[in-house]
Amino acid sequence: MRSRSVLKIIGRLLMMIGVSMIFPLLWAIYYGENEVFVFIASIVITFLAGLGLSEIRSNDEELRLIDGLGVVSLGWAIISAFGALPYYLSGTLNYLDAYFETMSGFTTTGATVINNIDILPNSILFWRAMTQWLGGMGIIVLAVAILPALSIGGMQLFGAESPGPKIDKLRPKIRETAKILYGVYLIFTGAQIILLLIGGMSLFDSFSHTFCTLATGGFSTRNDSIAYYNSPFIEGVITFFMFLAGTNFILHYSALRGKINYFKNKEFLFYITIILSTILVMTFTLNNSIYSSLSDSFRYSSFQTVSIMTTTGFTTSNFDAYPALSRIILLVLMFIGGCACSTGGGIKNIRIILILKYFYREIYKFLHPNAILSIRVGEDTIPEDVIKGVMAFFIGYITIFVISIIIVSSYGIDLITAISSVAATLGNIGPGLGLVGPMYTYALLPDFIKVVLMFCMWAGRLEIFTVMVLLVPDFWRE
Amino acid sequence: MRSRSVLKIIGRLLMMIGVSMIFPLLWAIYYGENEVFVFIASIVITFLAGLGLSEIRSNDEELRLIDGLGVVSLGWAIISAFGALPYYLSGTLNYLDAYFETMSGFTTTGATVINNIDILPNSILFWRAMTQWLGGMGIIVLAVAILPALSIGGMQLFGAESPGPKIDKLRPKIRETAKILYGVYLIFTGAQIILLLIGGMSLFDSFSHTFCTLATGGFSTRNDSIAYYNSPFIEGVITFFMFLAGTNFILHYSALRGKINYFKNKEFLFYITIILSTILVMTFTLNNSIYSSLSDSFRYSSFQTVSIMTTTGFTTSNFDAYPALSRIILLVLMFIGGCACSTGGGIKNIRIILILKYFYREIYKFLHPNAILSIRVGEDTIPEDVIKGVMAFFIGYITIFVISIIIVSSYGIDLITAISSVAATLGNIGPGLGLVGPMYTYALLPDFIKVVLMFCMWAGRLEIFTVMVLLVPDFWRE
């Protein structure tokens, strides 16, 4: 890794983060909050740190792939360190908690350590929502342009379809793709804000919730999350945009250009099938057990299913009090997550499809030892390299999951909390079950557990490989 | 599948099972129990059914691999149906429960539906222990000779090392290998019986517990399992033989011929490392929390670790009351299981090694895209086909696990019970956590759940593939 070049780029990103803090500053001024100075200080510190790093002298050669990896993995961690300043300087949280909350924001996880959100100043709430929105922007580019170029976790195939001109070098390509995707992201942002305003939400809340929907983040400005509004219309709007946010953005880009490809895409079909069948099962399970009418049962099931499956984590009900079947299904959905090239986390639907096809192929091959069978998705034959990447991703995901629950439970935390807190952070969902269920926060967990869960958010968000590569000594060679 | 030839062989196996019921019959006569007629009836029915099947006219051609598969998967299910007769005819259990208990026996799982074992007649207890011992014999041959020949789940490599003359045809090879392995199995059986007698156990109990140790089965003749004897010597003997039973029997065969290869075998080193480090962690975790002395803590930790890791399932303490860390570690051990070519269940140590190496290779390949890296274990290079089989096995194991816990929890069973009951049956351990913990049995579970868990035992014991192949329509073509 060329650490100078990497730090230089991270410096530029930091400057952008510093500048973006102007928006919460404006809200602080508008509402006359004491946090005006907090944000000014945060902006100055972040911007100057960024400026300092960006002035590092380097040969400024074209970045190699491995350097891109350094930018992504280290960048996410360093930016979170500065993004934590507003929470810390305002006295809202101690530094570790502030870092946790910011990592949870930038990774669009939505796990919170703040017990009482209702009393927070609006400027802090806005920054909290903005970390998710910015994180979502980062992820979209990461998922569509950077990770595929890096052949991470079998995603090369899906990046090959990325829109925009084919450019050989990494940076110009990222720039072009980013422009296109940000266009889509901004259009969705505008549309959702307008719809939420129509639904009767305040301008401030509309902005905040839109930011956290499109990033599949799930931070709310209310302790009761979306349940606060008790409005089927608002729930419907958010459900719809969570669903879009968990879908491949390349499909959205095509659709906005007039080519509706959704139902030709096997991953989308798988994604929507799982969502619809879960809603069906949950509606009937919850009817007569939790809710007294089929319509209520459908209303809460569909919101919660889409929220968890897309890894958003907004809540309209305490799903931890649901019957065992619904709880376990939601836990399983946490692992599946969104589609490739979306802001959703988890293993991703396309990988689940490939994993299952791999299994069936080996069974089939057993009966027909001489058959040469390639794995196909729709009309595409999937190269063996992609399959290997997917399998390795799956192993890495499960390995981190298992090691993390062992560590978490070493603090005497009950098994359901341990399992679900790791699943909910590694999959970038947010709320889990038990002590990290919808009625609680991550605040009471011991500090070291918070560090482990931050690692899970980070590793999950960066598709495992990007973070695991840091463990290979060769990576650190200049 | 040539169903006639397959049924013919299953018929012969049934006749053998019928004959083996003479041993519990002898105990029934010796103790003057009412079950004399139960066993006579069971023997007659089983033997005649076997005779009937073995008289099926077939061309008696050499069996193809696929037919071997049919013998194994269908055989296990059919034999259990007849092995259930003594429980059923004696009125001990209804037929479903009797089938569950027998499947649990022949698969050497050790999950029981009998709440009060202490009041059972000795003849029934002996048959119960014998199902495990016979199951263990079946598994050894399955694991060393049959599954590798069938290239099941990446086990071809390990079977290639199988002792005995190299014979091309399947049946003579199985016969030769079986002879050698049964020699080892019988020597261990004799040795353990003698040591348990020295430890003060009755002859009857020594036989029964030895049978269930070497098969890594875990049925006891006592409600309190091994805790009943409260003897460190007996616990030591059983721990030692459980450990041996979970080790590759080919290594034992070499050792008995004077070639000690244990510490040259990477899987054995991995297996012993996990066991020792778990004992270390658990001893310190349990000291001052559950036990007041380090020696007690070590005594119970070591027994329980070896019992769960080898997938035996004997208990000397209520490990479900242990702190969260110990419980989750035991749950993880249930997935790892024994070594290849042992009577232990689970995913198996060698597969875990290969899965982790696969992951590391993909990470490494990322940094060195042009490197051609094969996976090595010790001095052996592992062919890619083996790796693929292992990966498919892993996917199949996880898939069955996930689907089963969803089904189990659909009956409103709590998550810990659902997760651990599936883990404990799929891995052929026996006791789990929660409602299937060491203080409880599987008796109270709804019938349909018992059927699901029986499927798990069967699929887990037959290394997933053997059972999953039944789902491919081509398999059923004559």
Side-chain angles (χ1 to χ4, degrees), chain B residues 287-303:
Chain B
N287 189 29
N288 295 325
S289 68
I290 303 287
Y291 303 111
S292 53
S293 76
L294 208 57
S295 65
D296 267 6
S297 190
F298 172 76
R299 172 179 165 190
Y300 293 103
S301 296
S302 52
F303 186 90

Side-chain angles (χ1 to χ4, degrees), chain B residues 416-433:
Chain B
I416 289 297
T417 302
I419 291 170
S420 69
S421 65
V422 174
T425 48
L426 190 58
N428 301 121
I429 291 97
L433 304 172

Side-chain angles (χ1 to χ4, degrees), chain A residues 447-468:
Chain A
D447 284 351
F448 184 67
I449 299 305
K450 287 179 187 160
V451 173
V452 172
L453 297 179
M454 271 192 265
F455 173 81
C456 288
M457 296 185 214
W458 186 47
R461 185 71 278 177
L462 302 183
E463 308 273 320
I464 310 296
F465 271 63
T466 322
V467 165
M468 296 310 281

Side-chain angles (χ1 to χ4, degrees), chain A residues 150 328 359 366 368 392 409 474, chain B residues 150 328 359 366 368 392 409 474:
Chain A
L150 295 170
I328 202 94
F359 178 60
F366 173 79
H368 304 87
S409 57
D474 288 4
Chain B
L150 294 171
I328 202 94
F359 179 60
F366 173 79
H368 303 87
S409 57
D474 288 6

Side-chain angles (χ1 to χ4, degrees), chain A residues 56-206:
Chain A
I56 288 176
R57 270 211 268 167
S58 77
N59 299 330
D60 208 24
E61 300 156 283
E62 188 58 37
L63 281 191
R64 294 164 311 163
L65 290 179
I66 185 173
D67 305 321
L69 206 77
V71 171
V72 169
S73 54
L74 300 178
W76 232 275
I78 293 173
I79 287 171
S80 296
F82 287 90
L85 288 174
Y87 302 113
Y88 178 65
L89 296 179
S90 65
T92 309
L93 295 170
N94 66 42
Y95 190 72
L96 181 79
D97 279 354
Y99 193 85
F100 184 97
E101 195 77 9
T102 315
M103 181 61 98
S104 175
F106 282 129
T107 57
T108 82
T109 303
T112 186
V113 287
I114 301 174
N115 283 323
N116 194 348
I117 296 162
D118 290 349
I119 58 163
L120 288 185
N122 282 320
S123 52
I124 294 286
L125 285 175
F126 196 80
W127 176 239
R128 189 163 167 264
M130 236 184 121
T131 54
Q132 298 210 319
W133 194 67
L134 294 171
M137 286 189 125
I139 285 144
I140 277 292
V141 173
L142 190 69
V144 178
I146 302 177
L147 297 185
L150 295 170
S151 305
I152 291 285
M155 284 297 109
Q156 50 270 51
L157 184 77
F158 312 100
E161 298 168 13
S162 74
K166 298 279 170 212
I167 299 167
D168 277 345
K169 300 227 167 117
L170 192 59
R171 266 199 281 182
K173 171 148 175 83
I174 292 173
R175 205 168 289 147
E176 287 308 311
T177 310
K179 263 190 213 163
I180 289 165
L181 294 172
Y182 290 163
V184 178
Y185 200 67
L186 286 170
I187 290 169
F188 284 176
T189 303
Q192 191 184 345
I193 290 172
I194 291 167
L195 285 168
L196 289 179
L197 286 171
I198 293 171
M201 216 185 246
S202 73
L203 182 69
F204 181 83
D205 280 10
S206 298

